[in-house]
Amino acid sequence: MPLRLAVSVLAAAAIGYEILLIRLFSIIQWHHFAFMVISLALLGYGASGTFLTLVSRRLGLDDLHRERRLGVAFMVSAALFSLLAVGAFALAQRVPFNPLEMAWDPRQFWRLWVVYLLLALPFFSAGTAIGLALMRARGKIHRVYRADLVGAGVGALGIVAILFVAPATTVLVLVGSLGLVAAGIAGLDRSLGVTRKWIPLFGIAAVLFVWIWPQSWLAPQPSEYKGLSKTMLVPATRILAEDSSPLGRLTVVASSRIPFRHAPGLSLAFPDELPEQLGLFTDGDSMSAIDLPGSGGEVSYLEYLPSALPYHLLDRPRVLILGAGGGGEISSALHHGVRRVDAVEFNPQVVRLVDGLFDNPEQSPYRRPGVRVHVEDARSFLARGRDLFELILVPPLDSSTVAAAGSQSASASFLYTVESFGEALSRLEQEGLLAVSRWLKVPPRDSLKLFATAVVALERSGVDAPAEHLAMIRSWSTVTLVVGRRPLAPRQLEALRTFSRERSFDLAFYPGIEQQETNRYNRLEAPYLAMGAEAILGADREEFYDRYKFNVRPATDDRPFFFNFFKWSVLPELLELRGRGGTPLVEWGYLIGVATLVQALVAAVVLILLPLGALGGAGQQAGGSVRVVVYFGALGLAFLMLEVVFIQKLTLFLGHPLYAVALVLAAFLVFAGLGSGSSAGLEQAMRRRARVLLGTELSAIEVSILSLAALSLTYLLLLPPVLRSAIQLPVFLKVPIALALLAPPAFLMGMPFPLGLARAADLKPVWVPWAWGINGSASVVSAALTPILAIHLGFGAVTTLAAALYLVAAASFRGLQKE
Amino acid sequence: MRTATRCVLATLLMSLVGVGGLLAAESYEQKRRELMDEIRRDVQRTSREIGRAQLDDRVMEVMAKVPRHEFVPADQRPYAYRNRPLPIGYGQTISQPYIVAIMTDLLGLEEGDRVLEVGTGSGYQAAVLAAMKTDVYTMEIIPELGREVAERLERLGYKEINTRIGDGYYGWQEQAPFDGIIVTAAAAHIPPPLVRQLKPGGRMIIPVGGPFRVQQLTLVEKAATGEVTTRQLLPVAFVPLTGDH
């Protein structure tokens, strides 16, 4: 019993560490390393299986009579997890890896490798310990497996909860110390026969462990190229407030000598000084500014930003702001005489932090009269409420640097999709406007994709002539798009022209625009925006999408990758242009995803499959049966695919990727664990049921897989409308609904692997380590492959592919039985 | 005898070091020449975007002389003559030589012109401007970096460059107006005071993008009438539509 508890604790620690690493990577570098963390964790686990296969006989661990040796090996591996969880992180931080230099310096790829392998080590040691416990369990393997999965499920939820109350550094040592705790608990298991007088030492070690690490080893050292790092080098800057949660690390900075002067796209016609501002950084980057009224300077600068356009087209509208952040857009709305503002901000910390900055809380933009705050996700808010607005604003939330780096290209956003724009349009009054602002990239990318998204959203809402509803202007660094629920009125077009002329902003599009009106003040080499807008509105839209060298097709909820502009066909040209300033045209986030995939493939082969090949005889025998490879490989690929699909689907439903990751991981682990635990018991019942219902002889594996494939395809059709209809519910109801939806597929997904493993063991015991290794390798690869497939094919296609892979596995199993 | 041997050895060693130094200098010069050839070729291929088939001869001559390896940290010297940006500490980079050449050329400076640089960085761009025989005023916001660079420029003999540590937003009022201004510090908007310090007919260049990535060059031009226009230039020959070359 204590051993199973130890397994649970260690499994919780390992998954907690995985989620924590994703968080730490976001603080240190940028967030596009999340899939690399998932892949390296799986690699550590997979390699541990291979390792155990190779060494267990040599060390005598396969001899059940040598319990003590096995017990000691478990305790050593668990204790090593502690050491490596903190040690490998501290070492990885010392690797001078700079993703921004990857285009220029091949050494960066090697450094990424070192980081990847170092961070796989803690998972390797945890995997080894759990593998040992599984080896020892033999007849009761499902109990240990259940302890592992349930522990991991609790860990996934627990880490999110603890990150709300403790900083990541503290959580790192706490999670690390759990290895020692697990080792101590295992020592209490009488059946292992470990000398018990040593046990208290583990307790003491676990407590000491939390204190011994020097702060300099633990503290995340953010990249020197992040906005906050650079800002803090400016004299007389100081951190005013800081708050950390799983949603991000927020930092408020005051710069008393050299003001921030953050006014994206400010017109050169602005005659005065900017007001004093504070800088609000998320994970050390993506700065937004908080104006300090009454500090000197003029908030009238807000009238000179392109984003002020809608206030000149509407008369003091009722405003909804999606993503209020530091409150700049609230101030702008109030400055323009708006009486009622609904501000949606998904991160409660932001609101709390901004409120806390003002001596008189009434001065906080969130507390000003007429402002209503909604702490929730923008899409949930759009789907939930019934109120209509005259103006819905979407300000740019990322920093210009992040936008320029193209680092978000692999990350999903449900705010900039056709469905999202459609929902926003449906929340507008008849005369209402949707206004979206973004940084301007040259040649245009975001701006054209925004335009295309709005066009399709209008078309889907039944508008015949979308051109009549659209207007777009730009300054030298930002773009503002305005979408009307009704055609824009002539007086609005007149106001648009006046507004732009007075501020030297360029007209990119409005109904009836003349060529000579474009590209006047901030000249591009050609009027790309106007040309693109015209092509998107015309009959040759598809041809334009194909011919344009960036992907500007609108994003949808099925393929929510607004920030991905990458096209493989253009890569050779861009790489050739590298020496001539072509590097910024490459979307690096996507390529890092591809690099992760290559890395995962190589690592899976070198660290899992080749060592197994070294087993010689086993390799040849297994090589004889391609079916084992296909069966366990397909399971590994498909499991992760469905997991990633569910994470994406629930991100929109639950409002934040982090909640979705934690809930999906926890649910998959627990329900798959239950499925796996019940698989042996249900086998006979399932065979019988299949015989009665289908009149044919089907194994439990086939029943579970066929049900799973059918269920996946049913979900593909039914999940979106079900989730859409429930999105407006409060979170405490949404979580059980999500769990109820996850339970059936996860339960079924837990069955084919242990059943197949048992069958393989019956047929040829030497297949077992191979099955384990191949499944592990396929999971490692799938974690990196799935996001790329989703970008190109969409989540619907990924679901179908996963179902097909399960069917392939079933067919291959049938063949295996006949052999 | 032993003393004599030691003397001979020491002399040999010294001469080897000397020869090594000479060889290094020569190899740097060779690499610099190769780099300039590369830039020349690149410019020709980008002629349409930057509006000229070749850069001003003076810019090319100057860039062939300024020792870029002196402006990078010791561990980056082996890469000093590669056509790439390099890290210089403080979250800053020294720009890609190709971009430096184009920015210098776009300013269209004449001998004796007065030029302001906001964001001294490594000091390389200032050295290039000074070698064009212009009066250079350069400002750096990070004090440590500013002091390091001032010493470096002094050591390398660029004594005529005027350096200052401080906020570049308001320019250098005492020395205004300028024929050219180059703003390498990240800016969310074009600082109006700098536009005011630009002479009629003057030009201001702002590279836009993140570290290691100059995405586009914003060229601000002030006409003789005082009217201000900006142009967004890609430093690269890239047409965003296929079949449109």
Side-chain angles (χ1 to χ4, degrees):
Chain A
M1 184 60 191
L3 183 61
R4 288 210 296 276
L5 180 60
V7 165
S8 290
V9 169
L10 198 54
I15 198 136
Y17 185 62
E18 185 180 335
I19 295 176
L20 181 65
L21 277 185
I22 295 177
R23 192 80 280 290
L24 286 166
F25 260 106
S26 299
I27 294 172
I28 296 166
Q29 300 285 355
W30 286 271
H31 64 269
H32 45 269
F33 292 97
F35 289 105
M36 188 181 91
V37 173
I38 296 172
S39 167
L40 66 85
L42 290 165
L43 173 72
Y45 269 117
S48 74
T50 302
F51 172 75
L52 280 178
T53 311
L54 291 178
V55 304
S56 57
R57 188 165 302 165
R58 208 162 296 166
L59 297 180
L61 296 174
D62 56 342
D63 182 351
L64 281 186
H65 301 295
R66 299 167 96 164
E67 291 278 7
R68 188 165 172 275
R69 190 172 283 194
L70 202 134
V72 170
F74 179 93
M75 291 166 73
V76 169
S77 304
L80 264 179
F81 170 81
S82 287
L83 190 67
L84 290 169
V86 180
F89 171 73
L91 281 176
Q93 281 223 91
R94 277 165 177 68
V95 178
F97 168 60
N98 176 16
L100 297 177
E101 269 189 277
M102 285 173 95
W104 303 105
D105 184 359
R107 287 177 305 171
Q108 299 304 334
F109 285 94
W110 295 113
R111 290 173 185 165
L112 182 63
W113 261 106
V114 175
V115 172
Y116 185 75
L117 294 179
L118 268 175
L119 293 175
L121 287 175
F123 299 100
F124 176 79
S125 54
T128 304
I130 294 169
L132 284 164
L134 284 167
M135 278 172 68
R136 183 185 164 277
R138 297 277 156 104
K140 298 172 196 159
I141 199 161
H142 60 282
R143 288 193 188 165
V144 177
Y145 201 44
R146 191 168 54 205
D148 170 32
L149 294 175
V150 170
V154 172
L157 289 179
I159 191 79
V160 175
I162 199 170
L163 278 170
F164 270 110
V165 290
T169 317
T170 311
V171 181
L172 177 65
V173 286
L174 286 177
V175 166
S177 71
L178 288 179
L180 287 161
V181 172
I185 294 174
L188 294 172
D189 199 307
R190 284 176 189 281
S191 67
L192 292 179
V194 180
T195 318
R196 303 186 78 181
K197 66 179 177 191
W198 299 107
I199 305 303
L201 283 182
F202 282 96
I204 296 166
V207 174
L208 282 178
F209 184 89
V210 177
W211 305 106
I212 54 166
W213 298 94
Q215 193 58 27
S216 61
W217 286 38
L218 300 174
Q221 286 150 15
S223 160
E224 61 174 319
Y225 302 102
K226 284 194 146 188
L228 178 61
S229 309
K230 293 210 269 193
T231 298
M232 294 314 291
L233 291 172
V234 174
T237 47
R238 66 194 168 94
I239 292 177
L240 272 191
E242 207 161 16
D243 200 355
S244 177
S245 87
L247 302 176
R249 179 149 110 168
L250 298 171
T251 314
V252 178
V253 178
S255 181
S256 55
R257 201 177 306 162
I258 298 162
F260 280 106
R261 307 185 189 103
H262 184 76
L266 182 70
S267 163
L268 281 173
F270 176 64
D272 297 310
E273 289 288 317
L274 291 165
E276 195 183 321
Q277 295 175 323
L278 300 174
L280 171 65
F281 295 84
T282 305
D283 284 334
D285 218 10
S286 297
M287 191 192 103
S288 60
I290 302 165
D291 288 338
L292 295 176
S295 59
E298 284 295 331
V299 284
S300 60
Y301 84 92
L302 295 164
E303 296 165 26
Y304 289 82
L305 300 178
S307 52
L309 170 66
Y311 298 110
H312 292 253
L313 308 185
L314 297 164
D315 183 26
R316 299 204 287 172
R318 195 185 152 196
V319 182
L320 168 65
I321 297 166
L322 298 176
E329 284 299 333
I330 303 177
S331 306
S332 179
L334 296 174
H335 176 77
H336 285 96
V338 166
R339 279 163 298 187
R340 171 89 178 274
V341 180
D342 284 81
V344 177
E345 170 55 47
F346 86 94
N347 188 346
Q349 286 171 286
V350 172
V351 181
R352 216 169 40 229
L353 207 60
V354 172
D355 279 351
L357 292 172
F358 296 87
D359 296 332
N360 174 8
E362 295 296 308
Q363 286 180 315
S364 162
Y366 284 104
R367 299 283 190 96
R368 302 266 296 275
V371 178
R372 286 202 307 190
V373 186
H374 309 271
V375 177
E376 69 177 297
D377 171 64
R379 283 293 295 276
S380 303
F381 182 86
L382 285 177
R384 188 174 57 81
R386 299 259 181 275
D387 294 358
L388 296 180
F389 301 90
E390 285 150 306
L391 175 61
I392 298 181
L393 281 176
V394 183
L397 297 174
D398 46 347
S399 74
S400 58
T401 311
V402 171
S407 57
Q408 295 165 297
S409 55
S411 54
S413 163
F414 289 98
L415 186 57
Y416 300 104
T417 65
V418 171
E419 291 86 347
S420 173
F421 279 30
E423 281 169 18
L425 287 173
S426 71
R427 295 291 304 272
L428 285 174
E429 298 276 6
Q430 284 303 315
E431 305 296 329
L433 295 176
L434 164 68
V436 191
S437 295
R438 299 266 334 139
W439 296 98
L440 175 69
K441 284 185 175 192
V442 179
R445 276 156 269 181
D446 319 34
S447 42
L448 281 179
K449 207 175 213 178
L450 269 188
F451 193 84
T453 309
V455 169
V456 178
L458 284 166
E459 286 171 348
R460 285 199 192 169
S461 67
V463 170
D464 293 328
E468 303 294 314
H469 298 243
L470 293 160
M472 186 157 61
I473 61 163
R474 65 177 171 86
S475 69
W476 73 293
S477 62
T478 62
V479 174
T480 296
L481 169 75
V482 171
V483 191
R485 187 161 183 182
R486 279 202 180 158
L488 298 171
R491 61 170 175 78
Q492 287 179 312
L493 299 182
E494 187 50 45
L496 169 89
R497 285 189 290 263
T498 309
F499 174 85
S500 302
R501 190 178 55 246
E502 286 174 355
R503 291 159 182 77
S504 304
F505 294 148
D506 278 286
L507 296 162
F509 181 82
Y510 72 86
I513 190 169
E514 301 283 338
Q515 174 110 35
Q516 63 272 21
E517 291 179 276
T518 67
N519 217 18
R520 289 175 64 176
Y521 306 103
N522 308 286
R523 286 184 210 144
L524 301 176
E525 193 211 356
Y528 290 128
L529 272 176
M531 286 158 60
E534 198 182 328
I536 289 167
L537 286 164
D540 53 352
R541 182 188 302 169
E542 286 302 315
E543 193 209 333
F544 172 75
Y545 288 155
D546 290 339
R547 282 183 65 209
Y548 202 66
K549 289 183 183 168
F550 299 99
N551 175 9
V552 292
R553 271 176 213 278
T556 59
D557 281 355
D558 187 50
R559 289 164 76 174
F561 300 97
F562 178 82
F563 303 104
N564 178 51
F565 308 106
F566 182 84
K567 278 189 176 178
W568 277 105
S569 54
V570 187
L571 186 62
E573 184 186 351
L574 294 182
L575 290 180
E576 208 250 312
L577 293 175
R578 204 174 60 141
R580 281 166 272 153
T583 317
L585 299 173
V586 183
E587 302 292 324
W588 291 101
Y590 177 86
L591 284 183
I592 286 176
V594 176
T596 304
L597 174 61
V598 173
Q599 197 172 36
L601 263 172
V602 175
V605 171
V606 173
L607 296 175
I608 303 179
L609 297 182
L610 283 186
L612 280 174
L615 276 176
Q620 281 157 22
Q621 286 174 48
S625 180
V626 177
R627 295 181 195 285
V628 174
V629 178
V630 172
Y631 180 76
F632 288 99
L635 288 189
L637 286 172
F639 191 101
L640 253 287
M641 280 181 185
L642 284 187
E643 201 169 68
V644 172
V645 167
F646 274 108
I647 288 174
Q648 291 299 346
K649 292 282 170 211
L650 291 180
T651 295
L652 179 56
F653 183 61
L654 296 172
H656 195 276
L658 189 90
Y659 299 149
V661 168
L663 194 76
V664 171
L665 280 183
F668 263 62
L669 291 163
V670 172
F671 292 119
L674 291 177
S676 150
S678 334
S679 58
L682 285 175
E683 189 162 13
Q684 291 308 322
M686 287 171 94
R687 275 170 178 274
R688 248 194 333 270
R689 191 65 53 87
R691 205 171 323 140
V692 172
L693 284 178
L694 303 170
T696 175
E697 195 65 39
L698 285 179
S699 68
I701 286 188
E702 286 163 325
V703 175
S704 63
I705 287 183
L706 290 176
S707 322
L708 184 56
L711 195 62
S712 304
L713 297 176
T714 314
Y715 270 38
L716 187 59
L717 296 174
L718 292 185
L719 206 56
V722 169
L723 292 180
R724 206 175 304 131
S725 62
I727 200 170
Q728 77 278 12
L729 296 174
V731 172
F732 71 90
L733 287 177
K734 279 201 241 185
V735 170
I737 290 174
L739 287 174
L741 287 167
L742 287 169
F747 185 85
L748 290 171
M749 283 160 73
M751 299 178 81
F753 182 70
L755 287 174
L757 209 58
R759 185 80 192 115
D762 287 346
L763 290 171
K764 281 190 186 133
V766 77
W767 276 347
V768 171
W770 270 95
W772 191 266
I774 287 160
N775 189 260
S777 308
S779 313
V780 173
V781 172
S782 188
L785 174 68
T786 306
I788 293 171
L789 285 179
I791 286 176
H792 291 287
L793 307 172
F795 286 110
V798 172
T799 312
T800 314
L801 183 60
L805 280 167
Y806 270 115
L807 292 177
V808 168
S812 140
F813 181 78
R814 184 145 262 234
L816 190 65
Q817 277 189 313
K818 285 182 190 152
E819 268 183 18
Chain B
M1 183 62 192
R2 278 174 57 194
T3 319
T5 315
R6 231 185 290 167
C7 282
V8 170
L9 279 175
T11 316
L12 264 175
L13 200 66
M14 294 292 283
S15 62
L16 278 177
V17 170
V19 170
L22 276 176
L23 282 176
E26 203 166 295
S27 99
Y28 278 136
E29 206 175 319
Q30 170 68 17
K31 284 181 182 168
R32 201 153 54 228
R33 268 200 303 273
E34 287 166 9
L35 174 65
M36 294 320 295
D37 290 342
E38 192 184 325
I39 292 176
R40 215 167 272 124
R41 282 194 304 274
D42 285 343
V43 167
Q44 276 168 5
R45 285 190 243 168
T46 317
S47 53
R48 199 168 72 91
E49 281 63 31
I50 53 177
R52 60 201 75 194
Q54 59 182 54
L55 299 186
D56 186 335
D57 284 341
R58 288 175 310 142
V59 174
M60 298 306 280
E61 279 165 26
V62 162
M63 294 227 3
K65 282 186 195 143
V66 178
R68 192 173 184 243
H69 64 275
E70 294 282 3
F71 294 86
V72 300
D75 63 331
Q76 298 294 338
R77 286 194 172 184
Y79 318 107
Y81 293 102
R82 291 202 184 158
N83 188 18
R84 56 158 291 189
L86 292 168
I88 57 163
Y90 307 99
Q92 308 290 318
T93 56
I94 178 170
S95 299
Q96 186 181 358
Y98 171 79
I99 301 283
V100 173
I102 289 187
M103 292 199 299
T104 311
D105 188 79
L106 281 171
L107 283 174
L109 297 169
E110 298 290 333
E111 199 173 319
D113 276 356
R114 186 167 287 195
V115 54
L116 170 70
E117 182 191 31
V118 176
T120 313
S122 67
Y124 178 68
Q125 175 76 67
V128 168
L129 291 169
M132 302 264 302
K133 300 195 175 130
T134 58
D135 289 340
V136 182
Y137 297 83
T138 181
M139 303 183 71
E140 173 56 51
I141 202 168
I142 303 169
E144 296 82 358
L145 184 58
R147 280 192 289 272
E148 258 177 44
V149 175
E151 280 168 28
R152 178 182 301 146
L153 291 170
E154 176 87 23
R155 175 170 59 78
L156 295 174
Y158 295 99
K159 295 185 178 15
E160 68 282 14
I161 295 177
N162 304 282
T163 59
R164 181 184 270 188
I165 292 167
D167 183 7
Y169 189 82
Y170 297 104
W172 198 313
Q173 187 58 48
E174 307 90 289
Q175 302 299 334
F178 297 96
D179 299 280
I181 298 178
I182 187 162
V183 186
T184 52
H189 62 269
I190 301 171
L194 293 185
V195 178
R196 287 196 284 275
Q197 288 182 17
L198 199 59
K199 271 186 195 167
R203 292 172 144 205
M204 170 154 60
I205 281 274
I206 308 175
V208 181
F212 300 97
R213 289 173 172 85
V214 172
Q215 198 190 40
Q216 73 220 39
L217 301 171
T218 298
L219 176 65
V220 183
E221 293 171 291
K222 196 175 196 176
T225 55
E227 192 192 55
V228 177
T229 52
T230 60
R231 276 200 282 157
Q232 312 274 41
L233 305 173
L234 271 190
V236 57
F238 184 79
V239 184
L241 278 169
T242 51
D244 212 22
H245 293 275

